């Protein structure tokens, strides 16, 4: 018999647009996937996670803290995931550990499709990260494995900025 010991929430949609043009339906569908789906899954699986001293990892985004034009909807849903992580960690911390990873640009199909018509923009994005490149899915996977490892029992309510240092870099005119 296998036991449920961890849940990782990676699913998200990223609806971009000017705030004034986003519809209430855009907001509802984004919150349904980016926030309410993890809430429901967490509630359903909570008894098994408690029984097995389990762990939940939410994958948020750098946009919960640092964002840019046309990302108001996505950024708001990811800020909600961060707050959900902290709130659940406080309420359930002695039974289930809840943590969050907030990646910056990661080389996913969604991100790469945005560069198909202009590879120079990808190189520019790479250069903005102090590491010299955007992240890879394996970077996220390694962070997840660290967070769900039962040996790391004191990690609870943690928000990991997996951002290649970009959140520490000031971008202003030279």
């Amino acid at each position: 018999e296998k036991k449920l010991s961890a849940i990782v929430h990676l699913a998200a949609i990223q609806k971009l647009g000017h705030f004034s043009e986003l519809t209430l339906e855009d907001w509802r569908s984004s919150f349904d996937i980016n926030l309410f789906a993890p809430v429901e899954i967490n509630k359903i699986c909570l008894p098994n996670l408690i029984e097995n001293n389990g762990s939940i990892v939410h994958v948020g985004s750098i946009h919960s803290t640092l964002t840019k034009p046309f990302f108001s909807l996505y950024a708001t849903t990811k800020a909600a995931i961060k707050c959900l992580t902290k709130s659940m960690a406080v309420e359930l911390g002695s039974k289930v550990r809840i943590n969050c990873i907030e990646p910056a640009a990661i080389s996913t199909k969604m991100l790469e499709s945005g560069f198909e018509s202009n590879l120079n923009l990808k190189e520019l994005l790479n250069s903005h990260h102090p590491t010299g490149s955007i992240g890879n899915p394996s970077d996220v996977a390694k962070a997840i494995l660290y967070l769900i490892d039962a040996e790391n029992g004191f990690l609870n309510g943690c928000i990991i900025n997996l951002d290649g240092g970009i959140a520490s870099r000031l971008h202003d005119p030279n």
Side-chain angles (χ1 to χ4, degrees), residues 11-126:
I13 60 171
Q14 188 180 67
K15 174 74 176 173
L16 306 179
H18 192 280
F19 176 80
S20 65
E21 296 172 0
L22 293 168
T23 67
L24 190 54
E25 182 52 38
D26 292 333
W27 285 87
R28 286 185 176 130
S29 63
S30 291
F31 268 92
D32 280 347
I33 293 169
N34 296 2
L35 179 67
F36 298 141
V39 166
E40 285 297 314
I41 292 167
N42 290 342
K43 288 176 70 173
I44 291 167
C45 297
L46 194 57
N48 286 323
L49 289 170
I50 290 171
E51 181 180 323
N52 299 308
N53 296 316
S55 175
I56 297 171
V57 177
H58 297 128
V59 178
S61 170
I62 192 172
H63 285 279
S64 77
T65 305
L66 301 167
T67 195
K68 57 189 178 181
F70 310 113
F71 278 76
S72 61
L73 175 50
Y74 182 72
T76 302
T77 64
K78 292 305 184 171
I81 280 290
K82 177 191 283 187
C83 189
L84 176 66
T85 299
K86 291 179 176 187
S87 298
M88 288 181 70
V90 169
E91 288 185 36
L92 301 167
S94 66
K95 298 173 183 159
V96 177
R97 294 179 304 109
I98 299 94
N99 294 290
C100 183
I101 299 169
E102 292 193 327
I106 301 294
S107 183
T108 61
K109 287 181 184 180
M110 183 172 70
L111 183 80
E112 295 294 338
S113 69
F115 296 118
E116 287 175 351
S117 62
N118 191 343
L119 293 177
N120 290 336
L121 283 178
K122 183 177 179 185
E123 289 307 312
L124 183 61
L125 181 59
N126 281 329

Side-chain angles (χ1 to χ4, degrees), residues 2 34 122 124 137 140 146 160 165:
K2 296 190 179 199
N34 296 2
K122 183 177 179 185
L124 183 61
V140 177
Y146 180 75
I160 293 181

